[in-house]
Amino acid sequence: MSAASSARPGRVAGKTVLITGAAGGLGEAMAAMMAREGARLALTDIDGGRVAALAERINAEIPGAAFAYAHDVASEADWERVIAAAVADLGGLSVLVNNAGVGGPLAFVEQDTVDNWQRQYEINLRSIMLGAKHAMPHLRAAAPASIINISSIAGLVAAPGMGAYNATKAAVWMYTKTLALEAAKADWNVRCNSVHPVFIKTPILDPFIALAGGDEAKAHERLTRGIPLKRIGEPDDVAYCVLYLASDESKFVTGSEFKIDGGMTAQ
């Protein structure tokens, strides 16, 4: 890392940040914002080609800001490999953003499958534990540090036919609190918080648009009926929250959940 890059100003200047599921959507928005605000990045995704292309775009604007790694977050061996590489490339690790996640088919209890539950468990929840487990020694060494787990408003509010998604995202919420208490009581200076978006304008909305016959406006109208602000969120709405939690501005914030939901859960 050059002296110029290490001196780059910003809200997360000097932070070394690993973001999973970074190839698109929320992860891409977080990566771009963190880079602009001074962080150096380890970007991971199951799609190694797409995440490498994102790192290239960021480095074209901010040389040396990003490294990319193909990464299956359900694999413990992959976590060990990626964290070792990221720590070597970045010179340490001070922020972990567990962003990777998947949804599943609308499945009511009698039609649901073990395979559906297993896939969502491994990617939405097991990956959070694996990331925290293998990143924690490096986060402790780089303290003050932060773990940011991306859950969902579906981890706080249930919906029919979304049993696996509701359950795994709710578990992320509670596991984050466990991590926060463990780190605080051990005096590690590693904060742990969860972020709970509602519908955000990313490809995750494509199935809802398809159900509306390809009519995006109609799909958005349906999705926003329960949102007081009456609109779909933007990726940067989530990225700004993650930026705050990654920065030392949030140094007294741990074990909390941040709802990015347009007022939905205030009703």
Side-chain angles (χ1 to χ4, degrees):
M1 181 172 62
S2 70
S5 63
S6 64
R8 209 157 36 87
R11 292 173 63 187
V12 285
K15 298 291 187 186
T16 48
V17 182
L18 192 157
I19 304 173
T20 67
L26 297 182
E28 182 177 359
M30 294 170 198
M33 188 174 290
M34 292 273 199
R36 290 195 301 267
E37 290 292 340
R40 299 181 73 234
L41 306 170
L43 305 177
T44 89
D45 201 276
I46 192 72
D47 190 333
R50 283 184 67 205
V51 79
L54 172 60
E56 286 181 12
R57 293 196 299 274
I58 290 173
N59 288 331
E61 179 182 347
I62 307 167
F67 296 85
Y69 315 87
H71 182 195
D72 176 0
V73 295
S75 164
E76 184 162 20
D78 250 22
W79 269 109
E80 292 173 319
R81 174 185 59 81
V82 165
I83 286 181
V87 168
D89 288 336
L90 298 176
L93 187 64
S94 55
V95 179
L96 170 64
V97 184
N98 280 310
N99 170 66
V102 293
L106 192 68
F108 296 93
V109 62
E110 293 183 46
Q111 290 77 43
D112 210 347
T113 66
V114 171
D115 286 346
N116 178 42
W117 276 74
Q118 186 67 25
R119 178 171 182 266
Q120 294 194 56
Y121 159 74
E122 288 184 353
I123 298 173
N124 293 349
L125 180 58
R126 184 171 182 261
S127 70
I128 303 285
M129 182 278 287
L130 292 173
K133 174 183 177 178
H134 293 290
M136 190 64 82
H138 304 287
L139 296 170
R140 290 168 60 188
S146 178
I147 295 175
I148 304 157
N149 294 328
I150 307 303
S151 177
S152 169
I153 211 67
L156 305 174
V157 178
M162 294 179 61
Y165 193 71
N166 285 143
T168 54
K169 290 299 187 177
V172 171
W173 170 46
M174 195 53 57
Y175 183 58
T176 301
K177 293 180 182 296
T178 298
L179 288 173
L181 292 175
E182 288 182 8
K185 291 180 182 295
D187 238 359
W188 291 341
N189 201 12
V190 179
R191 299 174 296 98
C192 308
N193 295 283
S194 58
V195 176
H196 301 256
V198 73
F199 303 114
I200 305 294
K201 197 176 294 183
T202 69
I204 203 169
L205 297 187
D206 289 351
F208 297 99
I209 296 170
L211 284 172
D215 187 331
E216 184 173 340
K218 184 176 181 180
H220 285 195
E221 189 276 329
R222 289 177 178 173
L223 292 174
T224 57
R225 285 173 185 167
I227 300 175
L229 287 183
K230 296 298 181 188
R231 61 177 181 267
I232 299 294
E234 301 285 345
D236 275 359
D237 295 329
V238 180
Y240 274 117
C241 181
V242 171
L243 176 66
Y244 166 70
L245 292 172
S247 78
D248 292 338
E249 297 164 11
S250 56
K251 61 185 174 61
F252 198 53
V253 178
T254 197
S256 294
E257 58 281 339
F258 287 76
K259 305 168 187 175
I260 317 290
D261 70 349
M264 181 179 178
T265 56
Q267 301 178 97

